[in-house]
Amino acid sequence: MDQAVVPDVSVPLKSAVDLFIGFGTDFFAFIVLAALVAAFAFYLGSDRLSALIGAVYAAIPLYLAFPYRDALPENPWVSLGVFVAFTALGVIAFSGLSYFMASTSVGFIRVLALSVITAGFVIAVAIHVLPVEDIYTFSEPTKALFTSDTAYFWWLAAPLAGLFFLGRT
């Protein structure tokens, strides 16, 4: 009598479950970030979304060229705080430009689309510029979407294209 060989599916099943859980937690962080950007746009006005995107673009070289980073503690939260401070200063500076822009409402769907694009942009910048890996470890599928130089370029270009196509009425 032949004994039936039962294949061991626990290892592949565990790796598949870990993959979905890891991507799910990263996707949740992405959704929360997109919701924060959308809340920012709905609360302060959709014209401030352009100021936020411009501020993140401006904060990148300011953060990288900041001459006092060596004097700050070696804490990733401090580095993140410096970047957020530069972004906040950029939003304040660029908010005055919204006076010269069209003041019509962009619309609910367009704000949501721009929020999703901006959330991806911020995550790509966080992975490439900030020490975010010391705070949160992204899963391999998420890293595949953001870590390559080509993906980083397209995430940097996406908000510009989004503002061009979705920011106008």
Side-chain angles (χ1 to χ4, degrees):
M1 200 169 215
D2 290 334
Q3 288 184 335
V5 177
V6 179
D8 184 21
V9 295
S10 65
V11 173
L13 183 63
K14 182 181 180 330
S15 65
V17 168
D18 289 343
L19 177 80
F20 285 120
I21 288 174
F23 189 71
T25 56
D26 292 347
F27 189 67
F28 180 72
F30 179 80
I31 293 297
V32 167
L33 186 57
L36 287 172
V37 172
F40 174 84
F42 287 128
Y43 184 72
L44 295 176
S46 58
D47 55 341
R48 299 289 191 251
L49 199 52
S50 300
L52 175 65
I53 291 170
V56 174
Y57 278 116
I60 295 169
L62 287 173
Y63 174 79
L64 292 175
F66 187 58
Y68 305 108
R69 274 198 296 180
D70 295 337
L72 296 174
E74 292 288 328
N75 187 339
W77 290 103
V78 173
S79 298
L80 188 63
V82 169
F83 187 82
V84 169
F86 285 141
T87 303
L89 290 172
V91 168
I92 292 167
F94 292 143
S95 289
L97 296 176
S98 65
Y99 176 75
F100 299 105
M101 299 168 68
S103 62
T104 58
S105 177
V106 174
F108 182 75
I109 300 297
R110 289 180 177 181
V111 167
L112 287 181
L114 283 172
S115 298
V116 167
I117 291 169
T118 305
F121 168 55
V122 168
I123 289 175
V125 167
I127 288 174
H128 283 270
V129 176
L130 301 171
V132 74
E133 289 288 327
D134 296 339
I135 298 169
Y136 181 78
T137 304
F138 289 99
S139 65
E140 291 303 318
T142 304
K143 285 181 183 178
L145 290 173
F146 294 102
T147 56
S148 73
D149 290 337
T150 304
Y152 184 52
F153 168 79
W154 287 113
W155 280 114
L156 284 175
L160 296 175
L163 284 174
F164 181 76
F165 291 111
L166 300 173
R168 307 194 229 189
T169 53

